[in-house]
């Protein structure tokens, strides 16, 4: 089923996973996906080479998850290290695997790879290829409440986000953020500039101070001062950080729910417990089959 059809009928819950580097670690991923599936996600997604991780296994894990028939699946696809022919082949493979949902991304240049001239430059190039060669995909795109680190200014950033909609993106998922004001102000600007498609906030329950500082440095999201001070106190205690992360994500989502969001996308970091705790705090448990925000 196309995710946009789900979004048209209800608020969604989704979980993002990253495929392991080695085939031998696949059973562990499937176990994690299985455990989180008891929370009845509307869809799960699998990254493509994010943070230097593998790109090879994305189609395979997406296919396996789709075969399980427990939830919808969205495959991530980045285009910066591919030319058009390679992209078409990947899309054909996803079609054969019955994958109906793709998040079309540019990606970041992989460290071990040189980019050749015929490689695609922007997510919009990928969206164009999907739209003009395939009719079977619902397409998502990325957006940035604090604006993409390479954007010259917020006007350009919104302009290129709008271009994703114009080229055929059905909905957007945000980069992780910790200050809801950034999301709400981005959403307001987006609407003012003609963006009408759903914008799903991406939420990451923090589990390690050092890790989140590394992530935010890479992706350009900021950690609010007060949260950062608390994180400093538990810099060597991931258990304490995890508790703080669960509490923070719960409060963040409660406030977002009051502001009419179309769903929540969890950056699960392949861990079950934090997301599970947040969902339980929000009143969604194994016993609650339908999550209505
Ligand atoms: P683009 O939309 O191409 O934007 C990149 C920059 O170029 C921005 O500054 C934008 O304003 C500008 N721009 C956009 N279009 C144009 C244009 N047509 N002309 C000129 N400038 C333009 N990375 C991975 O490697 N794998 C993943 O699986 C992955 N999943 C992600 C999922 C989500 C929900 C998000 C938010 C990010 C994800 N990323 C992933 C990270 C993403 O690849 C990076 O943030 C990357 O730097 C930008 O990707 P994009 O698709 O937003 O690029």
């Amino acid at each position: 089923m196309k995710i946009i059809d789900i979004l048209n009928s209800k608020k969604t819950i989704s979980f993002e996973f990253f495929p392991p580097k080695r085939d031998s670690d696949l059973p562990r991923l499937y176990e994690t996906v299985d455990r989180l599936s008891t929370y009845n996600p509307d869809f799960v997604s699998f990254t493509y080479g994010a943070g230097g991780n593998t790109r090879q296994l994305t189609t395979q894990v997406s296919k396996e998850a789709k075969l399980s028939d427990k939830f919808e699946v969205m495959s991530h696809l980045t285009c910066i290290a591919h030319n058009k022919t390679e992209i078409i082949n990947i899309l054909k493979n996803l079609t054969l695997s019955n994958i109906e949902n793709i998040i079309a991304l540019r990606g970041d240049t992989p460290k071990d790879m040189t980019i050749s001239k015929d490689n695609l430059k922007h997510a919009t190039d990928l969206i164009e290829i999907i739209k003009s060669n395939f009719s079977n995909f619902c397409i998502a795109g990325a957006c940035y409440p604090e604006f993409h680190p390479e954007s010259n200014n917020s006007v350009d950033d919104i302009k290129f986000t709008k271009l994703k909609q114009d080229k055929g993106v059905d909905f957007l998922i945000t980069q992780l953020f910790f200050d809801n004001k950034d999301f709400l102000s981005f959403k307001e600007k987006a609407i003012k500039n003609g963006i009408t498609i759903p914008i799903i906030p991406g939420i990451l329950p923090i589990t390690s101070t050092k890790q989140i500082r590394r992530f935010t440095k890479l992706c350009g999201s900021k950690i609010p001062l007060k949260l950062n001070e608390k994180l400093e106190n538990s810099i060597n205690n991931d258990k304490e950080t995890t508790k703080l992360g669960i509490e923070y994500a719960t409060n963040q989502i409660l406030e977002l729910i009051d502001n009419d969001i179309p769903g929540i996308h969890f950056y699960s970091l392949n861990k079950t417990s934090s997301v599970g705790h947040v969902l339980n705090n929000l009143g969604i448990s194994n016993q609650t089959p339908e999550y209505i925000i």
Side-chain angles (χ1 to χ4, degrees):
M1 185 173 191
K2 292 194 161 86
I3 292 167
I4 190 61
D5 294 330
I6 307 176
L7 278 164
N8 283 335
S9 65
K10 71 190 282 270
K11 315 263 187 191
T12 57
I13 290 283
S14 50
F15 305 141
E16 180 172 313
F17 301 98
F18 54 88
K21 286 200 172 99
R22 292 183 300 266
D23 281 25
S24 56
D25 290 330
L26 277 173
R28 210 161 145 215
L29 172 70
Y30 293 140
E31 203 183 293
T32 308
V33 176
D34 232 35
R35 257 191 273 153
L36 273 181
S37 76
T38 58
Y39 287 94
N40 296 314
D42 296 288
F43 67 95
V44 302
S45 78
F46 296 99
T47 63
Y48 190 82
N53 272 314
T54 183
R55 303 188 299 167
Q56 275 72 27
L57 289 176
T58 305
T59 306
Q60 187 183 329
V61 295
S62 299
K63 183 178 169 184
E64 292 289 336
K66 178 79 182 170
L67 280 172
S68 79
D69 214 16
K70 289 183 183 149
F71 32 66
E72 250 323 315
V73 174
M74 179 172 80
S75 245
H76 294 222
L77 181 56
T78 65
C79 64
I80 195 161
H82 287 301
N83 60 35
K84 185 174 172 181
T85 313
E86 289 164 347
I87 286 290
I88 297 260
N89 284 334
I90 295 168
L91 292 167
K92 279 184 185 161
N93 240 325
L94 289 169
T95 303
L96 287 174
S97 304
N98 288 324
I99 303 299
E100 291 172 86
N101 303 286
I102 292 178
I103 178 159
L105 303 145
R106 184 197 69 177
D108 294 309
T109 315
K111 277 192 211 107
D112 53 344
M113 226 177 255
T114 39
I115 301 300
S116 61
K117 263 197 287 181
D118 62 348
N119 283 1
L120 307 182
K121 289 196 171 45
H122 284 291
T124 42
D125 302 330
L126 174 56
I127 297 158
E128 260 179 30
I129 293 180
I130 301 174
K131 282 309 254 190
S132 49
N133 294 279
F134 298 84
S135 57
N136 50 316
F137 293 117
C138 163
I139 311 171
C143 68
Y144 302 84
E146 298 168 69
F147 307 111
H148 188 269
E150 289 163 43
S151 289
N152 294 326
N153 51 57
S154 64
V155 176
D156 276 3
D157 196 273
I158 293 278
K159 185 176 87 186
F160 290 124
T161 308
K162 168 76 164 46
L163 192 59
K164 291 184 187 186
Q165 172 181 290
D166 295 345
K167 299 264 182 199
V169 155
D170 296 291
F171 67 99
L172 295 162
I173 300 181
T174 76
Q175 182 59 278
L176 61 98
F177 60 93
F178 295 106
D179 189 340
N180 284 345
K181 281 198 216 85
D182 290 323
F183 172 80
L184 296 171
S185 138
F186 173 81
K187 189 177 143 189
E188 196 184 316
K189 283 198 183 102
I191 292 169
K192 268 191 191 146
N193 284 279
I195 295 176
T196 53
I197 53 179
I199 304 175
I200 302 179
I203 299 294
L204 185 147
I206 302 171
T207 55
S208 151
T209 299
K210 287 175 190 156
Q211 182 194 53
I212 198 59
R213 286 186 176 159
R214 208 170 51 244
F215 281 1
T216 49
K217 212 170 165 187
L218 285 174
C219 73
S221 304
K222 67 175 184 291
I223 304 174
L225 210 62
K226 271 194 188 152
L227 174 60
N228 203 27
E229 278 167 12
K230 288 186 185 166
L231 287 170
E232 183 63 33
N233 292 336
S234 60
I235 192 158
N236 293 315
N237 187 341
D238 285 353
K239 216 172 163 183
E240 275 307 306
T241 305
T242 300
K243 273 194 214 158
L244 170 66
I246 291 166
E247 189 192 340
Y248 197 88
T250 303
N251 291 332
Q252 209 187 339
I253 294 170
L254 283 172
E255 191 184 49
L256 289 168
I257 289 171
D258 283 343
N259 281 281
D260 191 27
I261 45 170
I264 303 158
H265 185 70
F266 282 97
Y267 292 105
S268 81
L269 303 176
N270 289 9
K271 290 181 180 153
T272 49
S273 108
S274 286
V275 172
H277 274 102
V278 173
L279 290 174
N280 284 334
N281 288 347
L282 294 168
I284 305 148
S285 73
N286 306 2
Q287 283 74 43
T288 312
E290 186 81 349
Y291 176 37
I292 300 161
I293 293 173

